Amino acid sequence: MTPGGAGVAQRHLDPMDPATGSPAADVLPDYLRAQATEFLRALRAHREAGSNGGAPARSRPAAGTGAAGGRAPGTGDHGGEDTADAVLALRRSARRISGTLHTFRPLLDAAWSEHIRPELAWLSGTLAREHAYAARLERLVAALNRLSGAAAFPTQPRGTAQSAGDATAKGSLTVGAAKAGALLDRQLTLARTRAHSAALQALGSSRFHAVADSVAVLASEVPLAPAAAGAELRPLADAAHERLCDAVAALPLVTAGLPYNAEALVHGLSPDPAPHPQDAPWHQVRLLLRLYRYSREVLHGRDTLDDVRLLAAGEALNRHRDASEAAAAAASAARTPRIAPATAYALGVLHADQRHEVEAARFAFQQCWQKEAVSTA
Amino acid sequence: MTPGGAGVAQRHLDPMDPATGSPAADVLPDYLRAQATEFLRALRAHREAGSNGGAPARSRPAAGTGAAGGRAPGTGDHGGEDTADAVLALRRSARRISGTLHTFRPLLDAAWSEHIRPELAWLSGTLAREHAYAARLERLVAALNRLSGAAAFPTQPRGTAQSAGDATAKGSLTVGAAKAGALLDRQLTLARTRAHSAALQALGSSRFHAVADSVAVLASEVPLAPAAAGAELRPLADAAHERLCDAVAALPLVTAGLPYNAEALVHGLSPDPAPHPQDAPWHQVRLLLRLYRYSREVLHGRDTLDDVRLLAAGEALNRHRDASEAAAAAASAARTPRIAPATAYALGVLHADQRHEVEAARFAFQQCWQKEAVSTA
C-alpha cells in the first residue's frame, strides 16, 4: 500500500482547525495537485513493476483453465504484488480527484472538469473489477469453510485466497460444499482473468494516455473557475454532507437497528433474478459517504475523530456491497445447468449466509451512524 | 384452550406473597390435585369430541396420500378442533404433574412417583408429535413465502396452514420454492399422519388406561412421603432455580448477545448430518426453565411479573427448538434422492434461514435473561 493521503494531511492545517476560512484558491488546488502527484507516482510504480519481470500478463494462468488453486493474476510473485499495489494507488487517487471535482464543481473550470470526470470514473471502474472478483471468490470460499465448521482455517492474506481445491484436500467440506467451491472458483477466476485483460488493455489505450496527460497538467496547474477567487469550501462540503444525510434519512434505519429483522433475505427466493432492489439505496449512501469523506480530506486533512467514525460507517457499507455481490454470485452459480442437487443446496446456504451478512452490515452501519449523528449534532 | 392453571392461581395465595412458609402438606397436594383434575377433564373432553362425529381417525386423509393442501389430522372440522384442544390440555397437565413430581421428589411417595413419571413423559411425548410436525410444516411454508417476497400473505390460524399448493397457485414462488414446499408438505404430512395414528393408538392402549387410573387416584389423594409433613417447598424450588442458573451459565451468552455472530450456521454445511450439537445445551435450558416455572406455579400461582419474564425467555427457547428442528427438516428433505437442483437450492436457503432464526432466538433469550437476572438479583 502506498501511504496515500498522509502527506496531504501534513501539508494541511491542524486537523482540529475546522479551516472554515481557508480560501479555495489555496486548499483546493493543493489537494488536487497532491492527488495528481500520487496518481503519477502510482503510474510510474506500475510501469516499473511491469518491466521488472512481474508483468501479470506473463505470469497469470491462461484464461479459461479456471484451475482450483489458481492465484489472482498479478499476485503470483513480488513484481505482481507491486503491480496490484500500484493499481490500488491509481484507483485511490483517481477516485479522490473525481470526487473532489464533483463536490467542488462550481470552483473549477466547468468544461475541463466535465470532460475529465467521466474519464476518471471509467478508469477506476475498469481497474476495480479484477480485485473485486478476487475478493468475492475469497469471501465465498471463506464462508464455505466457515459453514463447514472449518473455522480454524487461518485467514489467508489477500491475493492468496484458500482455494476450494485446497479446502477439499483437508477433508473438511461436504461433497456439495466442495463442488460449490470449485464451481465458484471456475466462474469467478474466469471473470477475474477477463477483468485483468481488460485492465491491461485499458492501461495501454490512447484513452488512458489522454487521462494521464490531463492528470499531469493537474499536478502543476489546477484550472479554477473565476468564482474560486476568495470563495469558501465549507458551503460546498456542507452541501455534500446534506446530500448524504438526506439519503441516509431515506434508509430503513429503524428496521436495520433491530437485530435479526430478516429483511435482507426477503426476496431470497423471489423469481426475479435481478440484484436485490432493496440494496440500491444503501449502495447510493456508500457513494455519497465517500464523496463527503473526500470533501473532509480537502478541508481538514485526515484522521480526525469524526473521520474515524465515517471510515467505520463506510467500511460497513463496503461490507454491505461485497456481501450483496457475493450473494448474487452464489445465486447465479446455482443457475448453472446440470449441477448436482448437493451443489445447489450448498449454494443456497451460501446465498442466505451472504444475505445475512448484508443484514449484519446494515445493522453495523446503523450503529455507526447513530454515534455519528450524536457527535456532529 | 382450556383455562388450565387459572383456577389454581385463584385457590392459591396472593401472587405477591412469596408463600415461603406454606407447608408442603397443603400447597403441593392442592396443585397436584388441580392438575390431575384438569387432566381428567381434558380426557373427558377428548372422548366427547371423538364421539361427536369429529373423530380424527375418520376425518383425516389416508396415510401416504401426502396431499398438498391436506389439513392437520383432527383439525378438519369443529369436532377436530375440540380434539386438538383436548390433546393440548392433556399434554399440559401431564407435563405439569410430571415436572412437579420431579422437582418436589423428596416430599412424595418415592415408589409411586418413580413409577408414574416415565409414564407421563411417554404420554406427553407421544401426544406432542402430531402437533410438532404440523407446526414445523407451517413454519417452513411461511418461511418459503417470506423468502419469496410473499410477505403480504395473511398468517393463517394454527391448523389451517397455508399449504405449498395454495402458495404456488398465487404464482409468487419460484419453481424451486414451490417444489421445496411440496416436498416438505409430502414428508411432514406423512410424518404427521403417522404421529396421529400413534397418538390414537396410545390413547386406546392399556398403558394409557393405567396412567389415567393413576391420575384419577392423584385427583383425590396425593401420596406424600413421611418427610412432607411440615416441610417447606421453597428449598426445592430454589434448587430447581439453581439447576437452571447453572445450565444458563454454561451457555455462550456473551456470543449470543452480539447480534449477527454467525454462530448458528457454523456446521451448516458440515458433513455430519446429525442435529447441531451446539443446540443441545439450549434445549436442556428450555426443559430446566419449564421445571422452574412449574415450581413457581406451585408456590405462587401464576402471572406474577417475574413469571411473565420467564414466559418470554421460555418462548425464545421454544422458538429456538422449533427453528432448530425446522432447519433439520429442510436439510433432511434436501437429501431426498433425485430432487431438482432448484429444489435443493431453495431448501439450502430455507435451512440457512431457519438456522438464523435459531441465532435470533438465542439473542432474544439472552436479552430476556439479562433482565431476569437483574430483577431477581
Side-chain angles (χ1 to χ4, degrees), chain A residues 256-340:
Chain A
L258 298 170
Y260 301 107
N261 55 69
E263 265 304 300
L265 200 56
V266 163
H267 305 287
L269 286 175
S270 126
D272 182 7
H276 280 259
Q278 57 169 261
D279 297 355
W282 298 85
H283 295 333
Q284 178 64 11
V285 167
R286 181 179 158 271
L287 298 180
L288 292 173
L289 181 70
R290 199 160 74 179
L291 284 176
Y292 174 59
R293 213 152 54 72
Y294 295 161
S295 79
R296 290 180 60 87
E297 277 186 27
V298 175
L299 263 72
H300 306 287
R302 310 228 304 154
D303 294 335
T304 68
L305 185 61
D306 282 349
D307 288 335
V308 171
R309 288 198 190 113
L310 281 176
L311 267 180
E315 269 158 25
L317 293 173
N318 289 346
R319 190 151 72 97
H320 179 273
R321 194 258 330 251
D322 292 346
S324 162
E325 293 183 346
S332 151
R335 286 190 289 271
T336 309
R338 287 180 299 283
I339 56 174

Side-chain angles (χ1 to χ4, degrees), chain A residues 143-144 146-151 171-174 177 256 258-262 265-272 327 330-332 334 338-342 344-353 356-357 359-361 363, chain B residues 143-144 146-151 171-174 177 256 258-262 265-272 327 330-332 334 338-342 344-353 356-357 359-361 363:
Chain A
L144 279 174
R146 175 168 45 78
L147 296 172
S148 304
S172 57
L173 296 184
T174 53
L258 298 170
Y260 301 107
N261 55 69
L265 200 56
V266 163
H267 305 287
L269 286 175
S270 126
D272 182 7
S332 151
R338 287 180 299 283
I339 56 174
Y345 177 78
L347 289 169
V349 172
L350 191 56
H351 172 78
D353 175 69
H356 276 99
E357 276 281 298
E359 198 177 297
F363 176 75
Chain B
L144 279 174
R146 175 168 44 77
L147 296 172
S148 304
S172 56
L173 297 183
T174 53
L258 299 170
Y260 301 108
N261 54 68
L265 201 55
V266 164
H267 306 287
L269 287 176
S270 126
D272 182 7
S332 152
R338 287 181 299 282
I339 56 173
Y345 176 79
L347 289 169
V349 171
L350 191 56
H351 172 78
D353 174 70
H356 276 99
E357 277 280 299
E359 198 177 297
F363 176 75

Side-chain angles (χ1 to χ4, degrees), chain A residues 76-133:
Chain A
D77 51 35
H78 186 69
E81 259 171 49
D82 285 353
T83 306
D85 284 351
V87 167
L88 271 181
L90 269 178
R91 285 167 50 205
R92 185 189 160 80
S93 39
R95 279 201 312 264
R96 278 170 170 72
I97 295 168
S98 168
T100 304
L101 297 186
H102 178 76
T103 303
F104 299 103
R105 199 169 25 199
L107 307 182
L108 295 154
D109 183 87
W112 172 79
S113 81
E114 295 298 306
H115 171 72
I116 194 178
R117 272 200 61 227
E119 294 303 292
L120 288 166
W122 159 76
L123 179 66
S124 60
T126 305
L127 295 183
R129 241 155 263 144
E130 177 184 1
H131 174 71
Y133 286 121

